[in-house]
Amino acid sequence: MTSSELWTRATADRYDAEETEASSAAVLGPTLAFLAELAGDGRALEFAIGTGRVGVPLRERGVPVVGIELSEHMAAVLRRKIDEETLPVVIGDMATTVVPGEFTLVYLVYNTITNLLTQDEQVECFRNAARHLEPGGRFVIELGVPPLRFLPPGQVAVPFDVSERHLGFDTFDLVEQILVSHHLTRDGDDGRYRRENSRHRYAWPAELDLMARIAGLELERRVADWDEAPFTQDSAKHISVWRKPT
């Protein structure tokens, strides 16, 4: 068990409904094309596969996919969409859980490496990816760039969504590199809001590159999004690809 917070049944049951935009064809199309190209004729392993937002449609594209997921509740939602034989899922943490065989692609999307709350665990996640990759295989991470440029002296909170039914903001512990995402969500029309929060350890691209080197992986490319726009100093996130040497 890692320091990752465990997703509950209630959260898992409403996850897909709250992530309709991230599950749209406009978002998933470039994501799936990017990952399928890297997987090639081989197998893909998704760390923290969740409800299968990416893994299920990638499998439907013909890429053999295996998943690792910490929350049994999230995996149960995935299982409503696809059977175990078609897309196997192992319950366990992404830093230490090992599944049989080698893969041409291991991927970890949607900022999920930040669920590991220590640097040591994030390093182990890279090592676990390298352990599963065949020579020449790739490890892909999608991760936001920490928005610390928005923090003037004395401020610790940055809003990331202000909409009719949702208020979201992050608070930062700059010493421990921990952010807490706060969500106020209006479920009905009675004016009441549901409050939730989750902890994450943010990391910079250069820090991830060092983790990759520790794991024996080499940076192959870094882009700003799944459409492969150039990564610049103003990019809000990055898609990074590390390769296991042959």
Side-chain angles (χ1 to χ4, degrees):
M1 179 70 71
T2 70
S3 61
S4 297
E5 296 176 351
L6 197 60
W7 291 60
T8 65
R9 175 176 296 174
T11 302
D13 285 342
R14 62 175 175 260
Y15 181 84
D16 286 348
E18 294 181 346
E19 296 295 339
T20 54
E21 182 179 353
S23 302
S24 67
V27 173
L28 277 183
T31 305
L32 299 175
F34 190 105
L35 295 174
E37 180 181 1
L38 289 182
D41 296 328
R43 300 194 304 156
L45 172 62
E46 180 171 357
F47 285 174
I49 195 170
T51 65
R53 180 183 68 91
V54 174
V56 170
L58 186 62
R59 181 65 185 91
E60 292 171 346
R61 280 199 171 205
V63 178
V65 177
V66 177
I68 294 174
E69 172 56 43
L70 183 62
S71 169
E72 294 186 18
H73 302 300
M74 295 289 278
V77 175
L78 178 150
R79 194 53 64 221
R80 300 171 195 165
K81 307 172 184 178
I82 195 166
D83 62 80
E84 175 71 19
E85 183 178 354
T86 305
L87 200 166
V89 175
V90 176
I91 301 300
D93 70 82
M94 57 188 165
T96 63
T97 301
V98 177
V99 301
E102 291 187 325
F103 299 82
T104 56
L105 173 67
V106 178
Y107 65 95
L108 178 55
V109 298
Y110 218 32
N111 301 321
T112 312
I113 193 170
T114 66
N115 290 2
L116 299 170
L117 299 179
T118 70
Q119 187 182 69
D120 286 344
E121 288 174 347
Q122 291 178 353
V123 169
E124 288 306 311
C125 182
F126 273 83
R127 284 179 166 153
N128 200 30
R131 183 181 298 124
H132 286 92
L133 286 173
E134 64 180 42
R138 275 93 171 186
F139 182 36
V140 175
I141 283 182
E142 175 189 22
L143 183 60
V145 177
L148 301 190
R149 294 169 66 184
F150 292 102
L151 284 176
Q155 180 172 312
V156 297
V158 174
F160 58 84
D161 184 34
V162 180
S163 57
E164 183 179 354
R165 306 193 73 86
H166 179 254
L167 300 174
F169 59 95
D170 293 331
T171 54
F172 293 84
D173 180 334
L174 302 182
V175 175
E176 299 296 331
Q177 284 186 220
I178 295 293
L179 71 84
V180 180
S181 284
H182 304 263
H183 301 267
L184 293 170
T185 306
R186 192 170 71 186
D187 289 327
D189 295 322
D190 60 359
R192 296 184 180 183
Y193 282 79
R194 168 171 44 86
R195 181 175 181 177
E196 298 175 304
N197 61 70
S198 58
R199 294 188 302 152
H200 306 268
R201 182 186 186 273
Y202 64 85
W204 301 95
E207 184 180 5
L208 298 183
D209 290 342
L210 184 55
M211 294 181 189
R213 289 182 61 186
I214 292 171
L217 304 176
E218 302 171 347
L219 180 66
E220 184 172 76
R221 58 177 157 146
R222 175 168 291 126
V223 292
D225 55 36
W226 296 108
D227 289 311
E228 303 188 54
F231 179 74
T232 72
Q233 65 179 4
D234 296 318
S235 298
K237 73 172 186 178
H238 61 96
I239 314 297
S240 296
V241 181
W242 297 274
R243 184 173 181 269
K244 184 173 183 176
T246 56

